[in-house]
Structures are given as C-alpha cells and as structure tokens.
Amino acid sequence: MTDFDDDTLPFDEFDIAPARLTIDLVALADNWREMADLSGNASTAAVVKADAYGLGLEDCGTALYEAGARDFFVAVVQEGVTLRTYAPDARIYVLSGVWPGQEGTFYEHGLVPVLVSEEQLSFWMAVTAEHGDHPCALHIDTGFNRLGIPLEDALAFADDVSRPASFSPVLVLSHLHSGDTPSSSFNRQQLESFQKVAAAYEGIPASLAASSGIMLGSEYHFDLTRPGIAVYGGEAVGGVSNPMRPVAKAEARIIQIRSAKTGETVSYGGTHRLTRDSRLAIVAAGYADGYKRSLSGSGVPIRDSIHEGGFGFIAGHRVPVVGRVTMDLTIFDITDVPERDVRTGDYIELFGPNMPLDDVARAAGTIGYELLTSLGLRYERRYLYADE
C-alpha cells in the first residue's frame, strides 16, 4: 500500500468533488443590505435558522454580522448557542421559545426566547421572577393559526398590571401567511390586527415583515424587519422578477457519458424511452443530495401536472433530466451540447446563476426554501469572500 502525503495531492478537494456547492458571501451580504434599504427606517435583522437555510450558520452568520446585522433569528436554542460565537454582541432571538430545562442556556448565552404560547409566557414569568430580569419577545397570532399567543389574550395581557416587574419584552412580533401574494386580502387583515398589538404594547418595538412583507411597503415594516429567503437569493414574492443576487450554486460531476440508441429506456422503471440516438451524462448527485426525485423527467406523479422536469446547465446549454432521479445519480440528456464542449469530469449546474433556484424548485413542485434546506452533507463547500 502506498502512503500519500496530503500536501502532495495535485488537486483541491473542491475541484474533484462528486458534488460541490459554492456560496457567495458577498452576494449574501449585498442581499441583506438591499433588504435593509427596502426596510426604510426600520432596523433589519437576519434570519439564519436551519443552518442559515442550508448554507452554513457559521460562515453566513459571520458574513451577515460583518455586513452590519445586529439582530438575528434562529429556530432552536442550539442554533443560538452556535451563532453567539460569531455574533458576540448581537441580539439573538429563538423562534421556538423556551422549554423547562433550557432557561439556564438562555441566560448563559444571552439568548432571547420568543414566547409562542400562554404556557411559555407563564413559565418565563416564573423564571424571571426567580432568577432576575432577562429579555424575551412575544409572538402574537394574527391569523396564521401556527405559533403565537391568541390576539385577544395578547391584548388583554398588555393591560395586566399583575405581571412581574422582572418580565421585560423587548419585541412583539407576528408573521404574515400570505405575504408572498401581494394581492391577498389576508395581508391587510393581519396588518390591522398587528397594528392593535403594536398600539397595546406602545414603547416596545414591533416586527411583522419577513422578506415578502418588506416588499409590501412601509406600513408593514414597523420597527424591525426579518428578511430570510431573499437574503439567500430566493424569491420572496411570486410572479415578479427576483431582484436578489444568487448566493448558492450546486453542481454535480459527470461520472460517465454514454451513448444510447433510439427506443432504449433510461433509469429505473424504464419510464423514459429515447426518441433519438442520444448522449447521456450520468452525474454524481441524486435525492440523497437534496436534488428532488420529483425533478425526474418521467416516472413520477408530478409529471402529470407539471409536465416539464428538471434541467441542468453546462457549456451554455440547458440540459433536461431524463428518467427518474435516483438516490446518488441523475441522468441528463446532453445530445444537443457539442461533443467538444463537454467531457467526463465536467460539472453540470443543478441550480445557481444559470439555473435559478426557484425555477428548479417549481419543476420539482416545491419552493426554493426546501431545495436549500434539503442540501445533504456530501457537497464539498467553497465560500467566496470579498477579497476573492
């Protein structure tokens, strides 16, 4: 057996990885600044839950902190603990609130629980009465019927003089369920409900708008906005051109290029039958890498309603997925790409600057959020910084 010294290897791991992911932190920071500009007089937070939408909490959190973000939202307490290392003086809100046994972690790491129910509210008041003042936020349900203290209960609590002096909300917030559809009447209904909340909690900052809400206009901005998907390059509002810069590019390496004859079938089930002599590129990514099985060119139920499957991009050409996407492999038809322009070892872009994230998501019958947060562990990652 031969021992290899890593220092003598001729290639960077990224250059030879089966699947790779490029994350442009400059674009990420620029997108956050754009959302801050759109937020007008409101302060602008950064939502970094779900490992910064699948792109890496440490690197993305650091880039956003260095861009000027000082308010962050995470989903669970451990995300907040991790982020604290990279955002030392930021205010970090935990959207799922607090459970008994976690209170010490909130105090130790300076995290702010977003109290999402009357049970959490009662628990946190008891905690602060015993252990001293610690900031919290109140999530009010204005019509989503997901998390949140019921509107009428929240309005009554605002006037409750019996709450302990150690109980210190630093934010009241709610969430729009149809912000991505500007024409929806629900947006106005929720806005009017939240205006009552903001008035009842006068003097406490208020937050209603995530990415799509920011784009609804200044009425929705209040004191703090909470952009998420737009910061990562995704569409926040349906049916309009996406103004955000792409942040992530996913690519898969071509393992083999093979020729197949008219009439032959491709992939599991033989659901795709070739209508011409074809060249097929088999690439090293599949549904285990978050490249959805529903992107298959045939053989999956979604093709009955969304007839066109997924596409990749290589050498200036969009190339279709043929047959079923499998766990580790996907097959693209590269017949229309000149043979001189593509060879084994090259990379096909799965989504990125040439294959917009949300276009790929639509072909899969889903949304960009899901594609990003479904990225597996097998991508070799490269982060692009301002000096590169």
Side-chain angles (χ1 to χ4, degrees):
M1 180 179 293
T2 303
D3 291 327
F4 288 93
D5 183 345
D6 287 344
D7 293 336
T8 67
L9 291 176
F11 297 107
D12 184 285
E13 284 296 319
F14 185 84
D15 294 330
I16 59 173
R20 63 189 190 184
L21 186 68
T22 304
I23 298 108
D24 187 343
L25 296 176
V26 178
L28 179 87
D30 284 348
N31 287 344
W32 180 81
R33 293 188 188 99
E34 175 67 16
M35 297 308 285
D37 287 344
L38 290 173
S39 297
N41 294 326
S43 298
T44 305
V47 180
V48 293
K49 62 183 180 177
D51 194 33
Y53 285 55
L55 300 185
L57 178 58
E58 294 89 344
D59 292 272
C60 292
T62 299
L64 291 166
Y65 180 82
E66 291 177 350
R70 289 299 179 270
D71 293 276
F72 290 84
F73 286 83
V74 297
V76 296
V77 66
Q78 190 53 50
E79 291 177 336
V81 172
T82 299
L83 179 62
R84 175 57 71 203
T85 301
Y86 306 96
D89 61 344
R91 177 166 277 173
I92 301 173
Y93 296 90
V94 180
L95 288 164
S96 62
V98 59
W99 293 92
Q102 294 180 329
E103 57 269 32
T105 303
F106 280 87
Y107 275 79
E108 180 182 355
H109 295 279
L111 307 177
V112 180
V114 178
L115 307 179
V116 301
S117 67
E118 292 170 290
E119 292 83 359
Q120 286 194 356
L121 178 59
S122 297
F123 170 68
W124 192 249
M125 285 194 294
V127 168
T128 56
E130 180 178 355
H131 297 285
D133 188 14
H134 190 85
C136 67
L138 302 180
H139 186 152
I140 315 304
D141 178 23
T142 55
F144 204 136
N145 271 322
R146 195 173 62 168
L147 292 178
I149 299 165
L151 176 63
E152 295 305 321
D153 292 341
L155 295 176
F157 182 70
D159 296 324
D160 187 351
V161 296
S162 67
R163 66 189 189 198
S166 58
F167 181 72
S168 303
V170 295
L171 186 71
V172 291
L173 69 142
S174 191
H175 194 59
L176 298 167
H177 62 66
S178 297
D180 59 350
T181 308
S183 61
S184 173
S185 62
F186 288 121
N187 293 321
R188 175 59 57 174
Q189 292 174 26
Q190 285 193 263
L191 172 63
E192 292 173 355
S193 293
F194 192 65
Q195 287 171 334
K196 296 177 184 177
V197 172
Y201 288 87
E202 184 179 4
I204 297 175
S207 177
L208 177 63
S211 294
S212 58
I214 291 170
M215 297 179 184
L216 290 175
S218 59
E219 272 190 298
Y220 291 81
H221 294 169
F222 291 88
D223 302 294
L224 180 70
T225 62
R226 314 186 306 270
I229 189 62
V231 174
Y232 303 95
E235 289 182 7
V237 178
V240 299
S241 177
N242 182 8
M244 298 295 108
R245 292 179 58 186
V247 172
K249 179 171 72 172
E251 300 171 288
R253 200 172 201 198
I254 298 174
I255 298 175
Q256 183 185 27
I257 296 174
R258 60 186 306 122
S259 298
K261 297 293 186 182
T262 302
E264 293 182 355
T265 61
V266 181
S267 197
Y268 280 121
T271 59
H272 180 86
R273 188 174 298 276
L274 297 173
T275 59
R276 61 177 178 173
D277 291 350
S278 302
R279 288 166 42 245
L280 307 176
I282 292 82
V283 307
Y287 56 77
D289 306 286
Y291 198 69
K292 301 293 184 181
R293 188 174 183 269
S294 55
L295 286 163
S296 300
S298 60
V300 291
I302 195 172
R303 293 288 77 83
D304 293 335
S305 55
I306 302 175
H307 297 299
E308 190 171 73
F311 281 78
F313 187 88
I314 189 169
H317 292 75
R318 280 167 46 97
V319 292
V321 175
V322 288
R324 288 175 176 159
V325 174
T326 69
M327 183 182 291
D328 311 301
L329 301 168
T330 301
I331 304 168
F332 292 87
D333 186 338
I334 60 169
T335 309
D336 295 328
V337 183
E339 289 191 44
R340 65 180 181 276
D341 291 340
V342 60
R343 62 183 182 179
T344 301
D346 288 347
Y347 286 87
I348 285 180
E349 181 181 312
L350 305 178
F351 62 78
N354 302 295
M355 288 300 309
L357 171 71
D358 290 278
D359 287 353
V360 178
R362 275 186 283 272
T366 186
I367 54 177
Y369 301 73
E370 186 178 21
L371 282 189
L372 287 180
T373 58
S374 298
L375 294 168
L377 299 176
R378 299 192 296 195
Y379 290 93
E380 186 72 25
R381 296 180 177 220
R382 173 172 288 170
Y383 291 91
L384 302 182
Y385 298 89
D387 57 353
E388 295 183 6

